[in-house]
Amino acid sequence: MKSTRTWITAAAIGGAAALMGCQTPPPGNTGGRVDPYRSTPADEYSPEANTVTLLEFSDQVSEAIARRIAEVPEIRESPDRAAIELGALVNNTRTPSSDFAIVRRRVFGNLVNSSIVGQWADVYEAPEIVDPQYERLAPHADTSYRSGYPHSTSRYDPNKTFLLQGDFGEMVRGRQSTYLFEMTLTNLQSRRVVFNEQVVSKQRR
């Protein structure tokens, strides 16, 4: 009888050990970090636009510009490379403008790193950001006056300059919002919109 109990106990211990060996060790503490492309209850119940939608929109715009930039006649037929600069941002939603500035900046960064865009255009930092640094680091260097007024850093032919602009709107119906997110490339001189990408998104709370 004793040997039987011993055998049963040993088998139970062995089975438990086998189960423990098959289990995946618990993941480490994420420190509150979440996949940025995963919606959370905070997104669901917030009065602002869903952050996942904003990230997906910035990805879509970046891919669309890279895919279609060579189709723009002003860019394709120009003997010189185009210049892409940050333009205006219009926010007619309850979402902070800083959120849309992040979207536009993300698109801007993707264009800088795109080899396709790089074949046709150069992407430039905003002069209001660079000019003070130029004055701080190179105050006695030669300046350029190509556009007819004094400034610190070089300016470019307005006909070859395209502004990356954003327009964001919201229609509110009770606890529901319908958003229109739009980004464009606009020729600085002619004001002609040469690229437009839109996303319509509906969010219930």
Side-chain angles (χ1 to χ4, degrees):
M1 187 71 177
K2 181 178 179 182
S3 60
T4 303
R5 286 200 301 268
T6 303
W7 181 86
I8 293 173
T9 302
I13 293 173
L19 285 174
M20 291 179 64
C22 294
Q23 289 178 343
T24 303
N29 190 338
T30 63
R33 293 175 298 175
V34 180
D35 180 353
Y37 286 91
R38 196 184 89 189
S39 289
T40 66
D43 283 302
E44 181 179 354
Y45 297 109
S46 172
E48 292 83 28
N50 188 299
T51 56
V52 177
T53 302
L54 295 177
L55 290 177
E56 292 174 344
F57 174 63
S58 65
D59 291 340
Q60 179 176 326
V61 171
S62 303
E63 294 169 4
I65 292 178
R67 187 173 63 250
R68 290 154 48 186
I69 191 169
E71 301 173 5
V72 177
E74 289 92 332
I75 295 176
R76 184 184 66 242
E77 298 168 7
S78 173
D80 303 314
R81 295 160 70 87
I84 297 178
E85 305 244 17
L86 288 174
L89 193 156
V90 179
N91 178 19
N92 291 311
T93 76
R94 295 179 293 176
T95 304
S97 293
S98 58
D99 286 14
F100 297 117
I102 291 174
V103 169
R104 185 181 60 173
R105 192 71 200 188
R106 195 163 186 265
V107 174
F108 198 67
N110 288 340
L111 298 185
V112 171
N113 294 319
S114 168
S115 59
I116 298 175
V117 173
Q119 294 176 23
W120 300 95
D122 294 313
V123 184
Y124 292 95
E125 183 59 273
E128 59 268 23
I129 294 176
V130 179
D131 280 358
Q133 302 304 315
Y134 187 96
E135 291 296 331
R136 181 174 68 91
L137 298 172
H140 303 299
D142 291 337
T143 56
S144 169
Y145 299 89
R146 296 182 198 174
S147 59
Y149 58 90
H151 44 69
S152 296
T153 57
S154 297
R155 302 300 191 266
Y156 304 94
D157 184 348
N159 194 45
K160 298 182 179 67
T161 300
F162 297 85
L163 304 176
L164 179 67
Q165 308 201 112
D167 198 301
F168 307 94
E170 176 183 10
M171 295 181 288
V172 180
R173 299 292 184 272
R175 298 179 60 186
Q176 175 179 286
S177 292
T178 302
Y179 295 99
L180 173 63
F181 302 148
E182 176 184 73
M183 295 203 78
T184 62
L185 281 178
T186 305
N187 184 275
L188 178 60
Q189 178 150 311
S190 69
R191 296 183 293 109
R192 194 173 93 84
V193 177
V194 301
F195 167 88
N196 176 280
E197 187 75 10
Q198 294 184 348
V199 161
V200 176
S201 174
K202 184 169 288 189
Q203 186 173 339
R204 295 175 58 187
R205 299 174 175 86

